[in-house]
Amino acid sequence: MSGTEPSTDDLLARRGELCAAAQLAALEGIVDVTDSDEARAEFNAIDAALIARGVDPHAG
Amino acid sequence: MAAVSSHSPVAALEARAVALSLALAGSAGASAVDRRSAVDDLQRAASADGLAGPALQGFHQRLQQLFPDVFVDATRYSGPEKGAVAARFGGVGDAVGKQFSTGTSDAGAIVGARLGTLLSSTAPPAPLAVLFPPRGSAKAAAARQALMTDLAGVPVRGADGASSTLLDKLQRHPGLSPTQHRRILDVVATIKAGYDNAEAAMPKPPGYQQVNWKHTRLELDRVLDVAIAHGLSPKDTESAILASAFSDSVKAPSNFIAHNVHGAQAALYVLSRSVPALSADQLEDVTRAILEHQVGPPGFMGQVAMRGILKAKGADAAVVDSIASKIARPFDHQHDGAVVFSADEHRALATVGVPAWTVPGTGRHQAIARAVIDADSLVNYACPDGWAKLAALHGPDQPVFLQEPLLRHALTSLAPGHASARKSFDDARAVVSDAARPLYDQGLARTEAAVARVELALQRWVVALPATEVPVGAGGGVPYLSAPLNYSDAVEVDFARRLRDEAVRLLRAEEQT
């Protein structure tokens, strides 16, 4: 892994941020900052990267 | 800001200025011309009252605080134009100004003059006069009676832990007088009607204001518990109840980030006409507590809500990072009850209608403000009903970010890559007071026990279903309950919807036990 690639912890933290934003948006009915193709693409890329590293992104 | 005598010409002018700024902020039809015209009128009035020297200078500075948009280019504004038409507010400004500055409403004017963080350029869902119109005595009595019937149907735990109703718990709360009971009921009835009026004015998303009303009822219950934990006097208990009731009284998706300011404006607007009148000090305590209540959960508010809203406005990334970090740590970076921002940060916040971010401060109102935050946190994150609300937002038909494999992930997961009710509990705990923390932690224990019972009940519910209605998940488990839900399988997804609905129903039922 190159030095510029995010760590697994960073990927999980960013995934959690996106999930938290979506939860707040749903809870309060505010503009969903994750409701974009860009955010969904980032989310899917994070999951793909985690899986490639042998990390289950869904592990609860 | 120092208190201002209500009998001096400066105080009267300041009170009128605050009332006008509030009325125009709350009037959907008010324009920049109206605000400019208001400033013109106030400048003329100052001149007519003979204000000069430092007094005039101080009043001018106050106008700049109240009407920053009018003064945004100081070289362009040099005072009222000769022959300009006075009073172009359609009567709204004058009516509210009179209400805030005469008779029982003196307290409202004084408090408005004391607070410098009572303004937002974000519009409320409807003008305050539309949300909370004055009512005659007969209508007020009918609304009070209807509210009592409503509250008598809300099961709660009494202060002794025994089953009770919300009305009974309120009426038995130690030290509250019949006068306080009546004032609380009248005010809460007005707020309840305000939710109906807001729903009519802004019907989307459907049911939003009814959720607000149910939250208000539960928070009323919790604030009674918290008042005992804080050892609040009857007067401070009443203040905490009123602040709690108003805290979300003017809240919609459109003003989420400024709803504390609008709630505080609503308190001044409604309580200024309450009979018997509150003292200026008590009204100030209520208003300050409302302004300060929106700090939790701090991680959510800073790193999620404010960050997202500023990013959507295209704010500079470093400025966004700094603002989000400050809001996420409300007990740092504060001065006199508000976060201290740099000039760049203020400019970014102005683009989203947030001139100040109030945080729990010190002073006479401190315990009241903390009680309101505690009660709000208890309702949202430390009880089965709060977790039911979050469970409903995860799973099928929700954004991909909230499509977890298992129901329990939405509730109890502590994994960094998830959002869950438990993680929100931890976030909000950072702003729960020492006095209420035992209640908060007991709430978690009670809620986790409820979740365990609900999972058992769901297993029984599955067993009772016809076998043909229960798809077989991975490893022979039940999708979304004991086996990961396959979101590309329509049969599994349909079943998971039913399972989630049943879980939400069971969790809500746990609230009553």
PDB file of all heavy atoms in Angstrom, chain A residues 13-23 32-34 39-40 42-43 46, chain B residues 401-402 419:
ATOM      1  N   ALA A  13     -13.767   5.077   9.290  1.00  0.00           N
ATOM      2  CA  ALA A  13     -14.254   6.329   9.892  1.00  0.00           C
ATOM      3  C   ALA A  13     -15.048   7.143   8.877  1.00  0.00           C
ATOM      4  O   ALA A  13     -16.101   7.704   9.186  1.00  0.00           O
ATOM      5  CB  ALA A  13     -13.073   7.144  10.418  1.00  0.00           C
ATOM      6  N   ARG A  14     -14.558   7.214   7.649  1.00  0.00           N
ATOM      7  CA  ARG A  14     -15.274   7.964   6.613  1.00  0.00           C
ATOM      8  C   ARG A  14     -16.613   7.292   6.295  1.00  0.00           C
ATOM      9  O   ARG A  14     -17.620   7.950   6.098  1.00  0.00           O
ATOM     10  CB  ARG A  14     -14.400   8.055   5.353  1.00  0.00           C
ATOM     11  CG  ARG A  14     -15.051   8.753   4.175  1.00  0.00           C
ATOM     12  CD  ARG A  14     -15.460  10.181   4.511  1.00  0.00           C
ATOM     13  NE  ARG A  14     -16.176  10.793   3.402  1.00  0.00           N
ATOM     14  CZ  ARG A  14     -17.041  11.790   3.531  1.00  0.00           C
ATOM     15  NH1 ARG A  14     -17.312  12.291   4.737  1.00  0.00           N
ATOM     16  NH2 ARG A  14     -17.655  12.298   2.490  1.00  0.00           N
ATOM     17  N   ARG A  15     -16.606   5.957   6.264  1.00  0.00           N
ATOM     18  CA  ARG A  15     -17.863   5.235   6.045  1.00  0.00           C
ATOM     19  C   ARG A  15     -18.864   5.590   7.154  1.00  0.00           C
ATOM     20  O   ARG A  15     -20.044   5.848   6.906  1.00  0.00           O
ATOM     21  CB  ARG A  15     -17.591   3.726   6.035  1.00  0.00           C
ATOM     22  CG  ARG A  15     -18.775   2.880   5.594  1.00  0.00           C
ATOM     23  CD  ARG A  15     -18.444   1.387   5.660  1.00  0.00           C
ATOM     24  NE  ARG A  15     -19.382   0.583   4.898  1.00  0.00           N
ATOM     25  CZ  ARG A  15     -20.556   0.185   5.346  1.00  0.00           C
ATOM     26  NH1 ARG A  15     -20.953   0.515   6.568  1.00  0.00           N
ATOM     27  NH2 ARG A  15     -21.364  -0.548   4.576  1.00  0.00           N
ATOM     28  N   GLY A  16     -18.364   5.586   8.391  1.00  0.00           N
ATOM     29  CA  GLY A  16     -19.235   5.924   9.518  1.00  0.00           C
ATOM     30  C   GLY A  16     -19.777   7.341   9.420  1.00  0.00           C
ATOM     31  O   GLY A  16     -20.938   7.607   9.761  1.00  0.00           O
ATOM     32  N   GLU A  17     -18.939   8.269   8.935  1.00  0.00           N
ATOM     33  CA  GLU A  17     -19.399   9.666   8.758  1.00  0.00           C
ATOM     34  C   GLU A  17     -20.555   9.743   7.766  1.00  0.00           C
ATOM     35  O   GLU A  17     -21.537  10.444   7.989  1.00  0.00           O
ATOM     36  CB  GLU A  17     -18.254  10.533   8.220  1.00  0.00           C
ATOM     37  CG  GLU A  17     -17.321  11.074   9.273  1.00  0.00           C
ATOM     38  CD  GLU A  17     -16.201  11.897   8.627  1.00  0.00           C
ATOM     39  OE1 GLU A  17     -16.353  12.336   7.476  1.00  0.00           O
ATOM     40  OE2 GLU A  17     -15.159  12.063   9.291  1.00  0.00           O
ATOM     41  N   LEU A  18     -20.398   9.029   6.654  1.00  0.00           N
ATOM     42  CA  LEU A  18     -21.451   9.048   5.641  1.00  0.00           C
ATOM     43  C   LEU A  18     -22.745   8.447   6.199  1.00  0.00           C
ATOM     44  O   LEU A  18     -23.841   8.973   5.974  1.00  0.00           O
ATOM     45  CB  LEU A  18     -21.007   8.286   4.385  1.00  0.00           C
ATOM     46  CG  LEU A  18     -19.908   8.962   3.564  1.00  0.00           C
ATOM     47  CD1 LEU A  18     -19.320   7.996   2.539  1.00  0.00           C
ATOM     48  CD2 LEU A  18     -20.461  10.203   2.856  1.00  0.00           C
ATOM     49  N   CYS A  19     -22.596   7.355   6.950  1.00  0.00           N
ATOM     50  CA  CYS A  19     -23.779   6.723   7.543  1.00  0.00           C
ATOM     51  C   CYS A  19     -24.427   7.669   8.553  1.00  0.00           C
ATOM     52  O   CYS A  19     -25.668   7.792   8.610  1.00  0.00           O
ATOM     53  CB  CYS A  19     -23.390   5.416   8.240  1.00  0.00           C
ATOM     54  SG  CYS A  19     -22.834   4.127   7.113  1.00  0.00           S
ATOM     55  N   ALA A  20     -23.604   8.327   9.368  1.00  0.00           N
ATOM     56  CA  ALA A  20     -24.147   9.240  10.378  1.00  0.00           C
ATOM     57  C   ALA A  20     -24.870  10.416   9.727  1.00  0.00           C
ATOM     58  O   ALA A  20     -25.926  10.856  10.189  1.00  0.00           O
ATOM     59  CB  ALA A  20     -23.020   9.743  11.283  1.00  0.00           C
ATOM     60  N   ALA A  21     -24.297  10.909   8.636  1.00  0.00           N
ATOM     61  CA  ALA A  21     -24.953  12.020   7.927  1.00  0.00           C
ATOM     62  C   ALA A  21     -26.299  11.580   7.383  1.00  0.00           C
ATOM     63  O   ALA A  21     -27.298  12.309   7.477  1.00  0.00           O
ATOM     64  CB  ALA A  21     -24.053  12.512   6.795  1.00  0.00           C
ATOM     65  N   ALA A  22     -26.330  10.388   6.824  1.00  0.00           N
ATOM     66  CA  ALA A  22     -27.594   9.886   6.279  1.00  0.00           C
ATOM     67  C   ALA A  22     -28.618   9.678   7.387  1.00  0.00           C
ATOM     68  O   ALA A  22     -29.809   9.961   7.210  1.00  0.00           O
ATOM     69  CB  ALA A  22     -27.348   8.572   5.539  1.00  0.00           C
ATOM     70  N   GLN A  23     -28.151   9.196   8.541  1.00  0.00           N
ATOM     71  CA  GLN A  23     -29.081   8.968   9.654  1.00  0.00           C
ATOM     72  C   GLN A  23     -29.658  10.289  10.151  1.00  0.00           C
ATOM     73  O   GLN A  23     -30.859  10.407  10.396  1.00  0.00           O
ATOM     74  CB  GLN A  23     -28.370   8.244  10.796  1.00  0.00           C
ATOM     75  CG  GLN A  23     -29.279   7.971  11.992  1.00  0.00           C
ATOM     76  CD  GLN A  23     -28.611   7.107  13.057  1.00  0.00           C
ATOM     77  OE1 GLN A  23     -28.576   5.893  12.935  1.00  0.00           O
ATOM     78  NE2 GLN A  23     -28.077   7.742  14.084  1.00  0.00           N
ATOM     79  N   ASP A  32     -30.214  15.973   2.611  1.00  0.00           N
ATOM     80  CA  ASP A  32     -29.307  14.845   2.809  1.00  0.00           C
ATOM     81  C   ASP A  32     -28.027  15.076   2.021  1.00  0.00           C
ATOM     82  O   ASP A  32     -28.018  15.001   0.796  1.00  0.00           O
ATOM     83  CB  ASP A  32     -29.991  13.556   2.356  1.00  0.00           C
ATOM     84  CG  ASP A  32     -29.154  12.332   2.672  1.00  0.00           C
ATOM     85  OD1 ASP A  32     -27.989  12.501   3.073  1.00  0.00           O
ATOM     86  OD2 ASP A  32     -29.672  11.221   2.517  1.00  0.00           O
ATOM     87  N   VAL A  33     -26.962  15.351   2.791  1.00  0.00           N
ATOM     88  CA  VAL A  33     -25.690  15.632   2.125  1.00  0.00           C
ATOM     89  C   VAL A  33     -25.111  14.389   1.468  1.00  0.00           C
ATOM     90  O   VAL A  33     -24.181  14.476   0.673  1.00  0.00           O
ATOM     91  CB  VAL A  33     -24.650  16.214   3.114  1.00  0.00           C
ATOM     92  CG1 VAL A  33     -25.093  17.572   3.596  1.00  0.00           C
ATOM     93  CG2 VAL A  33     -24.421  15.281   4.285  1.00  0.00           C
ATOM     94  N   THR A  34     -25.658  13.218   1.812  1.00  0.00           N
ATOM     95  CA  THR A  34     -25.165  11.996   1.184  1.00  0.00           C
ATOM     96  C   THR A  34     -26.004  11.612  -0.030  1.00  0.00           C
ATOM     97  O   THR A  34     -25.705  10.611  -0.685  1.00  0.00           O
ATOM     98  CB  THR A  34     -25.195  10.828   2.193  1.00  0.00           C
ATOM     99  OG1 THR A  34     -26.540  10.645   2.632  1.00  0.00           O
ATOM    100  CG2 THR A  34     -24.293  11.103   3.362  1.00  0.00           C
ATOM    101  N   ALA A  39     -21.495  10.866  -3.504  1.00  0.00           N
ATOM    102  CA  ALA A  39     -21.387  10.259  -2.166  1.00  0.00           C
ATOM    103  C   ALA A  39     -21.598   8.753  -2.232  1.00  0.00           C
ATOM    104  O   ALA A  39     -20.895   7.978  -1.571  1.00  0.00           O
ATOM    105  CB  ALA A  39     -22.397  10.903  -1.223  1.00  0.00           C
ATOM    106  N   ARG A  40     -22.569   8.342  -3.045  1.00  0.00           N
ATOM    107  CA  ARG A  40     -22.810   6.895  -3.176  1.00  0.00           C
ATOM    108  C   ARG A  40     -21.605   6.205  -3.815  1.00  0.00           C
ATOM    109  O   ARG A  40     -21.222   5.100  -3.405  1.00  0.00           O
ATOM    110  CB  ARG A  40     -24.080   6.653  -3.997  1.00  0.00           C
ATOM    111  CG  ARG A  40     -25.366   6.777  -3.171  1.00  0.00           C
ATOM    112  CD  ARG A  40     -26.590   6.383  -3.995  1.00  0.00           C
ATOM    113  NE  ARG A  40     -26.923   7.411  -4.974  1.00  0.00           N
ATOM    114  CZ  ARG A  40     -27.719   8.454  -4.722  1.00  0.00           C
ATOM    115  NH1 ARG A  40     -28.266   8.587  -3.532  1.00  0.00           N
ATOM    116  NH2 ARG A  40     -27.976   9.355  -5.649  1.00  0.00           N
ATOM    117  N   GLU A  42     -18.517   7.199  -3.593  1.00  0.00           N
ATOM    118  CA  GLU A  42     -17.462   7.154  -2.570  1.00  0.00           C
ATOM    119  C   GLU A  42     -17.716   6.001  -1.599  1.00  0.00           C
ATOM    120  O   GLU A  42     -16.806   5.262  -1.231  1.00  0.00           O
ATOM    121  CB  GLU A  42     -17.411   8.481  -1.810  1.00  0.00           C
ATOM    122  CG  GLU A  42     -16.315   8.493  -0.743  1.00  0.00           C
ATOM    123  CD  GLU A  42     -16.352   9.724   0.154  1.00  0.00           C
ATOM    124  OE1 GLU A  42     -17.271  10.551   0.007  1.00  0.00           O
ATOM    125  OE2 GLU A  42     -15.473   9.820   1.030  1.00  0.00           O
ATOM    126  N   PHE A  43     -18.987   5.872  -1.201  1.00  0.00           N
ATOM    127  CA  PHE A  43     -19.361   4.820  -0.252  1.00  0.00           C
ATOM    128  C   PHE A  43     -19.055   3.441  -0.835  1.00  0.00           C
ATOM    129  O   PHE A  43     -18.452   2.580  -0.172  1.00  0.00           O
ATOM    130  CB  PHE A  43     -20.859   4.959   0.065  1.00  0.00           C
ATOM    131  CG  PHE A  43     -21.346   4.068   1.172  1.00  0.00           C
ATOM    132  CD1 PHE A  43     -21.093   4.379   2.498  1.00  0.00           C
ATOM    133  CD2 PHE A  43     -22.091   2.924   0.893  1.00  0.00           C
ATOM    134  CE1 PHE A  43     -21.555   3.576   3.524  1.00  0.00           C
ATOM    135  CE2 PHE A  43     -22.557   2.113   1.915  1.00  0.00           C
ATOM    136  CZ  PHE A  43     -22.293   2.443   3.228  1.00  0.00           C
ATOM    137  N   ILE A  46     -15.364   2.815  -0.923  1.00  0.00           N
ATOM    138  CA  ILE A  46     -14.845   2.470   0.410  1.00  0.00           C
ATOM    139  C   ILE A  46     -15.105   0.993   0.704  1.00  0.00           C
ATOM    140  O   ILE A  46     -14.210   0.258   1.154  1.00  0.00           O
ATOM    141  CB  ILE A  46     -15.502   3.355   1.497  1.00  0.00           C
ATOM    142  CG1 ILE A  46     -14.993   4.789   1.393  1.00  0.00           C
ATOM    143  CG2 ILE A  46     -15.233   2.784   2.893  1.00  0.00           C
ATOM    144  CD1 ILE A  46     -15.739   5.763   2.302  1.00  0.00           C
TER     145      ILE A  46
ATOM    146  N   PHE B 401     -26.475   3.927   2.654  1.00  0.00           N
ATOM    147  CA  PHE B 401     -25.657   4.108   3.865  1.00  0.00           C
ATOM    148  C   PHE B 401     -26.299   3.495   5.108  1.00  0.00           C
ATOM    149  O   PHE B 401     -25.648   3.252   6.109  1.00  0.00           O
ATOM    150  CB  PHE B 401     -25.417   5.602   4.113  1.00  0.00           C
ATOM    151  CG  PHE B 401     -25.050   6.356   2.879  1.00  0.00           C
ATOM    152  CD1 PHE B 401     -26.013   7.029   2.136  1.00  0.00           C
ATOM    153  CD2 PHE B 401     -23.746   6.374   2.429  1.00  0.00           C
ATOM    154  CE1 PHE B 401     -25.680   7.710   0.977  1.00  0.00           C
ATOM    155  CE2 PHE B 401     -23.400   7.053   1.264  1.00  0.00           C
ATOM    156  CZ  PHE B 401     -24.363   7.720   0.537  1.00  0.00           C
ATOM    157  N   LEU B 402     -27.612   3.309   5.031  1.00  0.00           N
ATOM    158  CA  LEU B 402     -28.340   2.803   6.200  1.00  0.00           C
ATOM    159  C   LEU B 402     -28.891   1.401   5.961  1.00  0.00           C
ATOM    160  O   LEU B 402     -29.752   0.927   6.696  1.00  0.00           O
ATOM    161  CB  LEU B 402     -29.482   3.770   6.566  1.00  0.00           C
ATOM    162  CG  LEU B 402     -29.021   5.199   6.864  1.00  0.00           C
ATOM    163  CD1 LEU B 402     -30.217   6.109   7.134  1.00  0.00           C
ATOM    164  CD2 LEU B 402     -28.066   5.225   8.055  1.00  0.00           C
ATOM    165  N   ALA B 419     -23.695   3.818  11.433  1.00  0.00           N
ATOM    166  CA  ALA B 419     -24.431   4.727  12.309  1.00  0.00           C
ATOM    167  C   ALA B 419     -25.421   3.879  13.100  1.00  0.00           C
ATOM    168  O   ALA B 419     -25.971   2.921  12.561  1.00  0.00           O
ATOM    169  CB  ALA B 419     -25.193   5.764  11.487  1.00  0.00           C
TER     170      ALA B 419
END
